[in-house]
Amino acid sequence: MRVRAGFLVITVLFLSGCAFGDRVATLKYPPAADKGGANAAVKGKQAPMAAKAARQSVVVGRFTDSRANKKVIGFVQNGYGMKTADVKTETDVSEWVRKAIAHELRRRGYAVTLADTATPGTRALFVTGNVEKALTKAYFKYDAE
């Protein structure tokens, strides 16, 4: 009986152990899995807009990160939906967002530059912002906002 109970405890710990322990995610944009996927469909829909956009210059400025813990971008959950660990990153989230926005604007035909400020007297649009939330939930796969 003790052997059976011990085996049960070890089995439960072994099977649930994958939900414990922090994960480290490297943020990249565009995602490697997105080649020819959803972005290909968006690209086709945006084609008429691209000619008009090519005449417009956009300066993408720095983004700030107002999140309390800038290293944590989410959590790992177990089979019961309970948080068991953190998902962390060494990537600067605000810079990742900045480069993602610049990438998407370029794909749509805008002339994009990265700069801290807009040059006075130019007709370029200036885009900047604030990261208030970065969230990923990890179980067997990652869901993110």
Side-chain angles (χ1 to χ4, degrees):
M1 186 67 169
R2 285 185 184 184
V3 173
R4 197 178 284 176
F7 179 74
L8 180 63
V9 169
I10 290 171
T11 303
V12 168
L13 289 174
F14 176 74
L15 292 176
S16 64
C18 63
F20 297 97
D22 291 345
R23 307 291 197 279
V24 178
T26 302
L27 303 176
K28 294 180 184 178
Y29 199 89
D34 203 22
K35 294 177 183 174
N39 277 344
V42 170
K43 191 174 186 178
K45 290 179 185 176
Q46 298 296 336
M49 190 172 112
K52 182 180 177 185
R55 291 177 257 148
Q56 180 64 55
S57 295
V58 179
V59 176
V60 180
R62 295 225 177 259
F63 280 63
T64 57
D65 190 348
S66 64
R67 297 174 304 125
N69 188 340
K70 294 174 180 30
K71 295 294 180 191
V72 176
I73 58 170
F75 60 91
V76 180
Q77 62 186 16
N78 64 13
Y80 300 107
M82 297 184 308
K83 177 185 171 183
T84 58
D86 290 326
V87 177
K88 298 179 177 183
T89 188
E90 294 297 320
T91 307
D92 180 341
V93 174
S94 60
E95 189 63 17
W96 176 69
V97 169
R98 177 187 194 201
K99 289 179 179 176
I101 289 172
H103 175 83
E104 290 302 321
L105 288 169
R106 281 187 192 106
R107 279 193 41 238
R108 285 164 175 77
Y110 290 89
V112 177
T113 55
L114 298 175
D116 291 342
T117 60
T119 306
T122 64
R123 293 177 112 9
L125 299 173
F126 185 68
V127 178
T128 188
N130 180 39
V131 177
E132 295 180 4
K133 179 181 178 182
L135 176 65
T136 186
K137 295 184 285 185
Y139 183 51
F140 285 111
K141 62 179 184 166
Y142 287 86
D143 292 322
E145 291 181 32

